[in-house]
Amino acid sequence: MAGKHGFGATFGLHDGVAIVAAAEVLAVTPPSPTIETIDTTNHGSAGAMREFIAGLIDTGEGTVRVNYLAGSATDLNFSEAAVSREVRAWEMTVPGSAGAWKFSGNCVVTSYEKDEVVIDDKMTALLSFKVSGAITEAAAV
């Protein structure tokens, strides 16, 4: 297999009752975990070279871009989540090697940016979120 297009990606965010699928998703960016490093260099470090150990894992940030429809269920859910300061459940699916692949976990919404509203183009918005805790990855059912 040479590659795969991204058609069919989805995103859902908890609205206080259940995870609600976002309408008119244009693009998603799954979170990418990074590992902090802790410098353990000491006066006896061989060759005066720095030494490190692994620290905590930051499970990363993700985004979802949607067609912006002011007042829609997606707009209201995203807007409310952006100011709530609450940890919310989220899930994202992307095409996988065999069917869809699902990412899920908890997050804090860090921003909901409505893009320029121009006369000759569609309106879009970008939701950004910071993962809180672990990310679960598995084949979507």
Side-chain angles (χ1 to χ4, degrees):
M1 179 185 273
K4 196 160 193 164
H5 59 72
F7 183 79
T10 66
F11 180 80
L13 182 66
H14 206 281
D15 70 352
V17 177
I19 293 180
V20 178
E24 304 212 23
V25 172
L26 300 172
V28 297
T29 304
S32 297
T34 57
I35 299 172
E36 183 179 274
T37 57
I38 299 169
D39 189 334
T40 59
T41 309
N42 59 72
H43 290 287
S45 293
M49 294 184 193
R50 293 200 177 274
E51 298 176 304
F52 297 90
I53 60 172
L56 298 176
I57 299 170
D58 181 335
T59 39
E61 298 180 31
T63 62
V64 58
R65 181 169 299 282
V66 296
N67 279 326
Y68 174 55
L69 302 171
S72 69
T74 296
D75 177 47
L76 296 176
N77 188 21
F78 285 8
S79 291
E80 199 278 324
V83 297
S84 74
R85 302 176 59 203
E86 297 171 349
V87 175
R88 295 182 178 223
W90 65 277
E91 60 186 31
M92 177 185 294
T93 61
V94 299
S97 60
W101 192 252
K102 181 178 174 181
F103 301 86
S104 61
N106 291 312
C107 73
V108 174
V109 171
T110 56
S111 70
Y112 178 46
E113 302 172 41
K114 289 102 173 171
D115 297 324
E116 265 188 324
V117 176
V118 296
I119 195 167
D120 62 347
D121 203 356
K122 64 185 174 187
M123 298 185 301
T124 63
L126 181 71
L127 180 92
S128 299
F129 61 95
K130 177 84 172 157
V131 177
S132 176
I135 297 171
T136 301
E137 290 188 47
V141 180

